[in-house]
Amino acid sequence: MKEQLNNGISRRSFVVGGTAALALAGIGLSGCGGGSDSGSGASTDAAGGDTSASAGALAAAVAYDGSDYTPASTSQALPLAGNRHVTEGLYDLDLSDYSAYAALADGDPVAVSDTEYEITIRDGAKYSDGTDVVAGDVVEAYARATVEGGMYLPMLSFISSVEAKDDKTVSIKTAYPFSLIKERLSLIRVTPASMTNDELKVHPVGSGPWVYDEITETKLTFSPNPNYNGPFVPKDTSMVWDVIKDDTARTTAMTEATVQVMENVPADIIPQIQAVGATVDDVQGFSLPFLMFNTKKAPLDDNRVRQAFFYAIDVEKLINNALSGQAATVKCFLPENHANFHEASTVFTYDPEKAKSLLSEAGVDSLSITLDTTDASWITALSPSIKEDLAAVGIEATIRESVSAALYSNYCDTDNPEFDVVLAPGDPSVFGNDPDLLMSWWYGDNSWTQKRTQWKGSEAYEELHGYMQAAVEASGSEQQENWNKCFDLLSEQVPLYPLLHRKVSTGYYEDRLDGFKAIGTTGVSFIGVSSK
């Protein structure tokens, strides 16, 4: 596979030897709720006992929550990350470089023709409950993932059929030659066909290296799958993910070394994490805040008005002040380190006068809107500055903050959405990283365009889908040329568009883990990782 995202990792490690070194460094840890006085990161309880995460156990402080674990449809960050350890696709992705590898499959697809493949299931593959994985399970998993209106459907629309040739062989037919079949099949997480959707939503069973022992709002606990016979057999006896959305509390868990890994390290906290001997890796990925518009609501139905928002906002100020420099400005739907990057025809720079001019051209003298935001800490850190910048060009924004699920269910996914503009985080690269997949998530024929942006059916929507279809049926320079047309159109229409491309910072104790790699998307990966 052509690497979709050039490796954009920068490592920042700062190891100190103890109390004296911390004092000389001039870094105190009291501001994050306490910490270690040892450069090793070890901590003790009141009785002097070691409370550090220890060998034989993997532990992480994760930053996002979730309640829908349905492997065939969830889009929530925590369930997606957990399910990758418990369930398998025929092929899975190494999220550190997006390379595809055989998981449940026994090798590469065998091409019967340009549009038909046969895939054999790994010999001896069993679920954690001891039952065999059979081809019928793959067929059912595909059916669950492609129900009408399903979020995964646009990303799997190239598939015409999935059938069981026999118990161990799956036959897959595509609507046209498709070069990324292994990468896309990683979306289809195979589970027992006998399980109901209600059962899978709360406690999935899979054939992966780990088993869910318990799923609660605050913690995920895993144990090794005793029946797993794939290449990533766990060496540890347990794995625990503490769900800690609060940045300060998550930092405390890391500095006190009750975990080995911390997801989503805020930029201003990085020195505190480094001061206890941990490494912080910054990965430029596809994590981003977007502005999403109700394109059926005047005057937001005019792309000039939508563009005015992007010219009005001082993104460099957001990056430097709210994100401590850990992000990049947008020159395309894709970040610049992506292998398929193309500078779009419209690149937004801070230009209040341009914003005012566009509003004037659209006949808008003044505008009052509600800016709905999620409660993610790094999103709420952006909204005050955005509100101020919009006011400077005559757009008065009232900020309404909600938890993510409530924002969409209450204001966007209703029969007649009445929201104005949404500021929220997003990152479809948890599913893969080819341009068609990334665009299909937000601009495909799904909830995003049907109910949220309400952009489906517009002339620009149809034009975009024409270019997307031409691209997936092409290859090489012809494919790239069609993707470039997509990027140009999206930069001009901006029904939903990145405000910036954020780096993902992950903290971890390198000396306590074998094989750990930071990833540029939400979640953490312990596939093939063991404690020391």
Side-chain angles (χ1 to χ4, degrees):
M1 171 190 173
K2 179 181 179 182
E3 187 173 314
Q4 298 292 339
L5 186 66
N6 298 330
N7 205 346
I9 298 178
S10 64
R11 171 168 295 184
R12 297 186 291 183
S13 56
F14 174 56
V15 182
V16 291
T19 305
L22 283 172
L24 287 171
I27 299 174
L29 302 182
S30 60
C32 61
S36 167
D37 63 359
S38 167
S40 69
S43 65
T44 58
D45 59 20
D50 188 357
T51 63
S52 303
S54 58
L58 294 170
V62 295
Y64 300 94
D65 60 7
S67 58
D68 182 359
Y69 285 77
T70 312
S73 61
T74 187
S75 61
Q76 297 175 346
L78 178 62
L80 280 166
N83 285 352
R84 285 189 177 277
H85 296 74
V86 171
T87 65
E88 297 179 285
L90 290 170
Y91 301 91
D92 280 346
L93 298 178
D94 180 340
L95 293 181
S96 68
D97 62 7
Y98 287 94
S99 58
Y101 61 87
L104 265 176
D106 184 17
D108 288 341
V110 175
V112 178
S113 70
D114 287 346
T115 58
E116 184 175 358
Y117 303 87
E118 290 184 355
I119 300 171
T120 303
I121 294 172
R122 184 178 71 232
D123 189 43
K126 294 179 182 294
Y127 296 111
S128 57
D129 64 5
T131 58
D132 292 333
V133 180
V134 295
D137 295 329
V138 180
V139 174
E140 179 62 21
Y142 167 72
R144 294 189 212 248
T146 55
V147 295
E148 185 175 356
M151 298 295 277
Y152 292 12
L153 180 58
M155 299 181 286
L156 295 169
S157 60
F158 70 95
I159 297 177
S160 296
S161 66
V162 176
E163 298 177 350
K165 182 177 181 182
D166 55 47
D167 274 356
K168 288 296 181 182
T169 309
V170 180
S171 174
I172 297 176
K173 294 180 180 179
T174 63
Y176 41 82
F178 190 79
S179 63
L180 297 169
I181 189 166
K182 290 196 297 185
E183 288 78 6
R184 290 299 178 84
L185 288 178
S186 69
L187 283 165
I188 302 174
R189 314 306 294 179
V190 182
T191 53
S194 60
M195 292 191 72
T196 67
N197 287 333
D198 287 342
E199 290 170 332
L200 290 169
K201 182 176 181 178
V202 296
H203 199 112
V205 169
S207 59
W210 292 93
V211 178
Y212 284 123
D213 289 333
E214 188 176 19
I215 298 173
T216 72
E217 292 182 356
T218 59
K219 191 184 297 286
L220 301 185
T221 57
F222 307 77
S223 60
N225 178 358
N227 297 305
Y228 176 71
N229 68 342
F232 301 111
V233 176
K235 296 179 181 179
D236 292 279
T237 58
S238 66
M239 180 166 67
V240 177
W241 294 5
D242 288 316
V243 181
I244 310 176
K245 294 172 66 175
D246 179 74
D247 290 342
T248 300
R250 202 165 63 257
T251 301
T252 299
M254 187 65 180
T255 56
E256 293 184 348
T258 57
V259 297
Q260 298 132 329
V261 175
M262 174 183 174
E263 182 187 11
N264 193 29
V265 181
D268 60 343
I269 298 296
I270 288 173
Q272 295 178 349
I273 302 301
Q274 294 170 328
V276 295
T279 296
V280 178
D281 280 352
D282 306 317
V283 185
Q284 180 65 71
F286 199 68
S287 173
L288 54 87
F290 59 79
L291 288 181
M292 178 177 75
F293 299 88
N294 183 339
T295 65
K296 289 290 179 68
K297 191 172 188 178
L300 301 171
D301 57 346
D302 190 322
N303 73 303
R304 293 171 297 182
V305 175
R306 301 194 295 266
Q307 283 192 12
F309 280 74
F310 289 93
Y311 282 113
I313 298 169
D314 188 344
V315 173
E316 292 277 8
K317 182 174 66 175
L318 293 178
I319 292 172
N320 292 329
N321 294 349
L323 298 175
S324 299
Q326 297 303 299
T329 56
V330 171
K331 295 182 180 178
C332 172
F333 174 70
L334 302 177
E336 285 192 72
N337 66 325
H338 197 288
N340 299 105
F341 171 81
H342 152 79
E343 184 166 312
S345 56
T346 303
V347 175
F348 297 101
T349 56
Y350 179 50
D351 191 342
E353 293 308 312
K354 175 73 171 177
K356 292 177 183 177
S357 175
L358 286 167
L359 291 171
S360 178
E361 288 177 23
V364 177
D365 296 324
S366 62
L367 179 60
S368 296
I369 58 109
T370 297
L371 180 64
D372 282 298
T373 78
T374 67
D375 64 344
S377 59
W378 66 275
I379 291 293
T380 59
L382 301 176
S383 53
S385 183
I386 291 174
K387 175 182 171 72
E388 181 180 308
D389 288 344
L390 293 176
V393 301
I395 302 173
E396 295 299 325
T398 300
I399 297 172
R400 180 170 58 188
E401 180 184 320
S402 308
V403 298
S404 182
L407 187 156
Y408 292 110
S409 62
N410 292 343
Y411 306 120
C412 303
D413 293 338
T414 58
D415 289 337
N416 294 292
E418 290 297 323
F419 77 94
D420 298 321
V421 185
V422 168
L423 169 68
D427 188 0
S429 68
V430 293
F431 303 114
N433 206 48
D434 68 87
D436 181 71
L437 181 149
L438 297 175
M439 288 187 286
S440 292
W441 177 250
W442 275 316
Y443 310 110
D445 185 3
N446 58 23
S447 294
W448 288 101
T449 57
Q450 294 166 8
K451 286 193 172 182
R452 296 179 182 179
T453 62
Q454 300 182 75
W455 196 50
K456 181 186 175 182
S458 68
E459 182 178 341
Y461 171 93
E462 299 298 338
E463 186 178 359
L464 174 71
H465 279 252
Y467 296 145
M468 289 174 64
Q469 189 63 35
V472 296
E473 294 187 31
S475 60
S477 60
E478 182 183 352
Q479 183 177 68
Q480 184 66 49
E481 287 169 6
N482 279 290
W483 276 335
N484 293 350
K485 292 176 183 177
C486 294
F487 304 145
D488 288 346
L489 184 150
L490 290 172
S491 75
E492 295 161 5
Q493 293 297 320
V494 291
L496 179 156
Y497 202 65
L499 195 58
L500 51 87
H501 286 118
R502 180 174 174 255
K503 293 180 181 179
V504 177
S505 297
T506 304
Y508 60 102
Y509 289 104
E510 190 170 8
D511 60 343
R512 299 182 184 186
L513 295 168
D514 264 332
F516 183 80
K517 295 179 182 178
I519 59 177
T521 186
T522 52
V524 294
S525 177
F526 284 106
I527 302 294
V529 176
S530 60
S531 64
K532 294 182 181 179

